[in-house]
Amino acid sequence: MHIETDPKLDFKDVLIRPKRSTLSSRADVDVTRSFRFVHTGREWTGFPLIASNMDTVGTFSVARAFAPFGAMVALHKHYPAERLIDFLRSEIADNVFYSIGTTTEDLDKLALVRAQVPVGKICIDVANGYSEQFLQVVQRVRAENPDSVIMAGAIVTGEMAEALILAGADIVKVGIGSGSVCTTRDLTGVGYPQLSAVIECADAAHGLRGHVCSDGGCTVPGDVAKAFGGGADFVMLGGMLAGHDECEGRVRYEIRNGESVPVGLEFYGMSSDTAMNKYHGGVADYRAAEGKTVEVPYRGPVKATLQHIMGGLRSSMTYIGATRLKEVPKRTTFVLVGAQRNTVFDR
Ligand code: 5GP
């Protein structure tokens, strides 16, 4: 047994210290980034926020709403191949990831879709990115899709970030147990504080010219700013994007002033009973659900929430004097709050 004694931080454990700057308006800051990916040499420019590949938020409708803002969606993997082929023919295909797990069925479906239409970005997503089999799938998908940008995870440590990039991933997806409807930490005791995971994985990935996506644990726009401050190149959101018109899932209505109005939407983890009953006919005997089902308040169009997040980030950048999103980690000094109050933590 071994105990790590370095401080490990979640978003709630830090605040970003303001810094002097010459910036006068948040309109002067640019929240877009341009990337060249390590394995494909492909370039992408946009707002590097990604809706999670959960079947409630990783939808075609969210992708259409996000496209004008340059934001992205990891499409959930339960769309039929024909609908994915149609969608990937649209002009917003560059802003979506095609998601797969590691099953033969997933890999066969990808091959089928790829035979019809280019698949520019692939997200290989498993709950536990530490298995040898996962690395082998990443290697195989890289070999079969040399021109696709590949994001793979989830992992939380630098050595695994390096292993995934060397195996063919352009972007590593960082976060285990941090999701809003995830119960992994309660059920298994496994996890890693999200901000530290991002800081450590970004350090490792950037050393190999790879990129990092922080996945899970953001509950307010300030957390998105902290993730970018910690070195995340992309930030993936589930819960913050739930409850909108463009989401899928059961809607609860109430009669108000004689009219039926939406008040709540179902939101659940992709390993919850709800998802497993929907897609696998129940939870297999040998495993337990690692996600829960909640109802989130109805919040109208997702565009307003996206603009709120972008506004928060612009304001955050103004406070630290960062003109471009790329400068944010360099301009970020985290101040520890709570147990280690008043300690300053420079990136
Ligand atoms: P959120 O933004 O809601 O905090 O986190 C979203 C992330 O939670 C997803 O992108 C995914 O990585 C993770 N997640 C989604 N469903 C489940 C689940 O059922 N179990 C676990 N352990 N994680 C989940």
Side-chain angles (χ1 to χ4, degrees):
M1 195 274 287
H2 174 74
I3 298 181
E4 281 190 25
T5 51
D6 289 357
K8 300 291 176 195
L9 308 169
D10 261 317
F11 297 128
K12 67 172 174 22
D13 298 323
V14 300
L15 288 169
I16 301 170
R17 193 172 78 181
K19 289 200 173 147
R20 294 181 70 167
S21 88
T22 51
L23 271 171
S24 52
S25 160
R26 51 188 87 166
D28 296 338
V29 306
D30 178 5
V31 293
T32 61
R33 270 196 72 178
S34 294
F35 299 99
R36 176 182 283 274
F37 297 102
V38 58
H39 289 289
T40 61
R42 281 172 77 110
E43 288 184 22
W44 180 84
T45 299
F47 178 48
L49 190 95
I50 311 176
S52 167
N53 52 338
M54 301 168 77
D55 67 350
T56 40
V57 299
T59 67
F60 293 146
S61 303
V62 171
R64 286 190 203 98
F66 271 20
F69 299 90
M72 307 179 98
V73 171
L75 297 170
H76 70 75
K77 66 176 198 173
H78 300 289
Y79 282 120
E82 313 77 64
R83 292 195 64 197
L84 285 161
I85 291 166
D86 270 359
F87 194 84
L88 291 171
R89 290 200 171 113
S90 73
E91 69 282 5
I92 58 174
D94 202 30
N95 276 11
V96 299
F97 284 83
Y98 177 110
S99 303
I100 54 170
T102 53
T103 63
T104 311
E105 198 188 356
D106 287 335
L107 296 169
D108 290 349
K109 185 167 144 192
L110 172 61
L112 184 91
V113 170
R114 191 165 44 99
Q116 303 289 320
V117 65
V119 179
K121 297 188 178 64
I122 300 170
C123 171
I124 315 174
D125 186 25
V126 293
N128 170 12
Y130 283 78
S131 80
E132 283 306 297
Q133 190 234 353
F134 177 59
L135 268 186
Q136 286 158 12
V137 170
V138 173
Q139 279 162 344
R140 173 176 162 189
V141 175
R142 165 52 66 216
E144 292 174 357
N145 300 272
D147 299 326
S148 304
V149 173
I150 295 178
M151 170 159 67
I155 53 109
V156 286
T157 50
E159 91 285 356
M160 207 59 217
E162 287 167 354
L164 281 177
I165 289 166
L166 295 174
D170 298 285
I171 308 166
V172 288
K173 193 156 81 62
V174 176
I176 292 183
S178 51
S180 58
V181 283
C182 159
T183 55
T184 297
R185 289 180 185 176
D186 292 343
L187 183 77
T188 67
V190 174
Y192 210 91
Q194 184 64 15
L195 180 62
S196 285
V198 167
I199 291 170
E200 292 168 27
C201 291
D203 192 45
H206 293 162
L208 292 171
R209 293 189 300 117
H211 293 100
V212 163
C213 175
S214 171
D215 174 25
C218 289
T219 56
V220 287
D223 292 342
V224 176
K226 290 174 187 176
F228 284 126
D233 302 289
F234 297 84
V235 176
M236 181 175 273
L237 302 178
M240 282 182 69
L241 302 176
H244 296 97
D245 290 329
E246 296 81 357
C247 295
E248 286 170 17
R250 197 178 306 144
V251 184
R252 188 168 62 82
Y253 292 86
E254 271 178 14
I255 306 292
R256 291 193 183 158
N257 301 324
E259 264 187 54
S260 172
V261 292
V263 290
L265 267 82
E266 187 178 50
F267 178 59
Y268 47 84
M270 294 312 291
S271 310
S272 63
D273 289 347
T274 307
M276 289 206 262
N277 286 332
K278 193 165 171 186
Y279 298 113
H280 307 292
V283 183
D285 288 346
Y286 62 88
R287 60 183 293 182
E290 283 187 33
K292 62 185 173 186
T293 302
V294 298
E295 183 182 287
V296 294
Y298 169 68
R299 296 198 280 161
V302 74
K303 172 182 163 180
T305 296
L306 180 62
Q307 285 175 312
H308 183 60
I309 295 168
M310 294 174 100
L313 183 61
R314 278 196 193 95
S315 187
S316 174
M317 289 169 66
T318 316
Y319 275 110
I320 61 170
T323 320
R324 296 163 61 225
L325 188 53
K326 194 177 177 189
E327 295 163 16
V328 167
K330 290 193 199 86
R331 304 275 313 171
T332 296
T333 298
F334 288 124
V335 182
L336 301 188
V337 294
Q340 319 212 23
R341 206 170 298 141
N342 300 333
T343 310
V344 172
F345 192 87
D346 256 310
R347 274 259 319 139

